[in-house]
Amino acid sequence: MGLPNNILCRIAPLAILVPLAACSTTSDIGSRPVIIPTFAPPRPPVDAALADPCISAASAKYFLAERHIKVIDSEAVGGGVNHVRLKADIRDALCTVTDKGKVRSVVDTMPKSADQVAAEEAAARKAASGQAEAPAPVKKARKKS
């Protein structure tokens, strides 16, 4: 047994109108902030003569492989000195390098966590005691002819 057709004919239009009743037509559209997407201008690539020495210095400082360090951008400070911004794993750093590729400093631009300080101290003690193992050379596979 089903419901009589009279009830369905009365409920169906109400079911369609219920979602429309939830919409508000009294809000003022001008009171909401308008979000306009903004785009950052593309950055010019960083000169390899500046980037490579900074990556090597940051790799030695943070005990990371060079593949974990990215160069973000660079800016000339003057007098043959440049600042190169680096992203070393999850850390931000600023490298000061000369035009000839001599690194003057690599400075953190974000504070270290306690875990990172402990890991760096352990790595420095290990390196100082002479127990640091050199990474094993990777043999490249030869192509079959």
Side-chain angles (χ1 to χ4, degrees), residues 31-122:
S31 66
R32 294 184 194 165
V34 178
I35 300 173
I36 299 173
T38 58
F39 301 99
R43 294 180 181 146
V46 178
D47 185 20
L50 300 176
D52 291 341
C54 283
I55 290 173
S56 297
S59 174
K61 178 177 181 171
Y62 298 120
F63 304 103
L64 289 172
E66 290 185 1
R67 68 178 179 270
H68 294 291
I69 300 170
K70 290 190 311 184
V71 177
I72 305 299
D73 67 346
S74 67
E75 87 182 273
V77 178
V81 178
N82 300 288
H83 284 169
V84 177
R85 292 186 199 341
L86 303 171
K87 187 75 170 175
D89 199 16
I90 60 169
R91 302 195 52 73
D92 296 327
L94 182 68
C95 175
T96 305
V97 63
T98 64
D99 285 339
K100 295 181 181 179
K102 181 180 178 186
V103 175
R104 290 188 175 177
S105 66
V106 177
V107 180
D108 289 334
T109 56
M110 88 188 250
K112 296 179 183 179
S113 67
D115 293 337
Q116 185 176 13
V117 170
E120 288 181 355
E121 288 173 357

Side-chain angles (χ1 to χ4, degrees), residues 10-28:
R10 292 182 186 174
I11 294 176
L14 291 176
I16 293 173
L17 294 176
V18 169
L20 293 176
C23 296
S24 173
T25 58
T26 60
S27 69
D28 184 20

